[in-house]
Amino acid sequence: MSKVKGNVIDPLDVIYGATLDELVAKAEKSGTATSGIKYLQKTYPEGFASYGADALRMTLLSYSPQSRRIALSMKRIEGYRNFANKVWNAARYALMRLEGTGAVATGSPPKATALANRWILSRLDQALEAADAGIGTYRLDDATLALYHFLWDELCDWYLELSKPLLESGDAALVEETRAVLVHALDSVLRALHPMMPFITEEIWQRVPKTDTRKSIMTAPYPRAGVEGRRDTAAEAELEVLKSFVQSLRTIRAEHDLPRSRTVEVHYHATDAAA
């Protein structure tokens, strides 16, 4: 970054937001050349939105430490702000379904029998293993990506949807199991993500029902693979078939512009006996 070129970005402007006039005034005060002022006006005509500290931290951590030059992307920061919103919404869904049920996180994976519950505990184990390896080898980008993928692509996009029919099944044992898995997965991934996004994880963790009596997530133990997750290759393979089937249906609906309200009869034929 160069003050002369005017491409120096104040982290506080990214966190709290700043108008173009504020950016220009700050650049002029620091002695930025005219060319630098023009660069600011051309590159950030609307200034900066308020992205928050967590989104900025995640963005910086997502870049490979092997890169000698980093092209800081405001679009990437915006993407991680959206990720923070995704985490918040997922937590809100979980907490609404846990309220008053007596389900609490204990730090140990609950026994799971339902496919979706076995699958998410297995994927949690994979994510924790990757995050721990990334941190241990100073590849924080790998750790960040593993937790991002688990939270967005697996917990939010699949497990939360799969948990709805389980929680509404009317089977008391299945409902209790699903609640236990849900609160455990939420508690574990919040503690794993805390070093990257300390503010939102602290805020949510304080609301999670748990046996841990610590006052802050900062002093809670970092989750470990093989301890808080439970690997289940059979469940992962089986659910991959289900995911492939659902994704195929979504593709057919999109290609033929079929509305969600329209019921379509589907015939499934598998050449693999296991499917």
Side-chain angles (χ1 to χ4, degrees):
M1 290 183 173
S2 167
K3 287 186 178 181
V4 174
K5 292 183 178 180
N7 62 359
V8 174
I9 297 174
D10 187 336
L12 294 178
D13 290 337
V14 178
I15 293 170
Y16 296 110
T19 64
L20 177 60
D21 290 341
E22 290 172 335
L23 294 177
V24 170
K26 184 174 291 187
E28 289 175 339
K29 186 177 180 179
S30 66
T32 302
T34 303
S35 59
I37 300 297
K38 291 181 179 179
Y39 172 86
L40 279 176
Q41 293 170 333
K42 179 181 179 180
T43 309
Y44 309 112
E46 303 299 327
F48 295 148
S50 175
Y51 294 110
D54 282 335
L56 179 58
R57 286 172 64 98
M58 280 287 283
T59 301
L60 295 175
L61 290 170
S62 70
Y63 288 102
S64 171
Q66 296 178 339
S67 301
R68 299 186 65 182
R69 299 183 65 183
I70 293 176
L72 184 64
S73 168
M74 303 309 290
K75 280 293 183 182
R76 183 178 289 204
I77 299 175
E78 182 181 353
Y80 280 113
R81 182 186 62 179
N82 296 339
F83 174 67
N85 290 336
K86 191 84 168 180
V87 174
W88 184 264
N89 289 332
R92 184 170 59 179
Y93 165 86
L95 295 176
M96 285 176 59
R97 282 152 182 79
L98 295 170
E99 186 177 4
T101 64
V104 295
T106 64
S108 299
K111 183 179 179 181
T113 57
L115 173 61
N117 292 334
R118 291 163 49 211
W119 174 77
I120 198 63
L121 290 178
S122 185
R123 296 310 302 161
L124 173 64
D125 194 69
Q126 296 260 17
L128 294 179
E129 182 178 63
D132 190 48
I135 293 173
T137 56
Y138 301 101
R139 288 301 304 263
L140 299 180
D141 55 321
D142 289 345
T144 297
L145 181 62
L147 296 175
Y148 176 94
H149 173 67
F150 171 76
L151 257 163
W152 190 299
D153 299 331
E154 296 173 342
L155 183 68
C156 295
D157 283 1
W158 286 98
Y159 181 68
L160 296 188
E161 292 300 320
L162 293 171
S163 71
K164 292 177 182 178
L166 300 180
L167 292 171
E168 298 168 3
S169 65
D171 184 328
L174 181 57
V175 170
E176 182 179 358
E177 172 192 309
T178 304
R179 286 171 179 162
V181 171
L182 181 60
V183 71
H184 173 76
L186 178 61
D187 170 64
S188 295
V189 77
L190 286 174
R191 285 184 281 119
L193 188 63
H194 178 67
M196 294 83 171
M197 304 184 80
F199 299 102
I200 191 172
T201 51
E202 180 75 73
E203 180 71 22
I204 297 172
W205 191 78
Q206 294 292 339
R207 307 178 188 207
V208 175
K210 52 191 174 295
T211 57
D212 195 326
T213 57
R214 292 176 176 84
K215 293 183 178 180
S216 173
I217 192 175
M218 288 189 291
T219 59
Y222 195 80
R224 300 294 181 184
V227 177
E228 299 198 25
R230 184 180 290 123
R231 199 65 59 95
D232 191 328
T233 55
E236 292 198 35
E238 190 174 346
L239 204 119
E240 279 302 315
V241 174
L242 175 61
K243 287 172 63 179
S244 177
F245 178 62
V246 172
Q247 288 166 343
S248 297
L249 294 181
R250 289 173 177 171
T251 300
I252 292 172
R253 276 192 176 278
E255 289 177 347
H256 296 277
D257 197 22
L258 298 174
R260 288 176 175 268
S261 58
R262 181 175 176 181
T263 302
V264 179
E265 184 177 349
V266 176
H267 298 273
Y268 174 67
H269 174 71
T271 56
D272 183 356

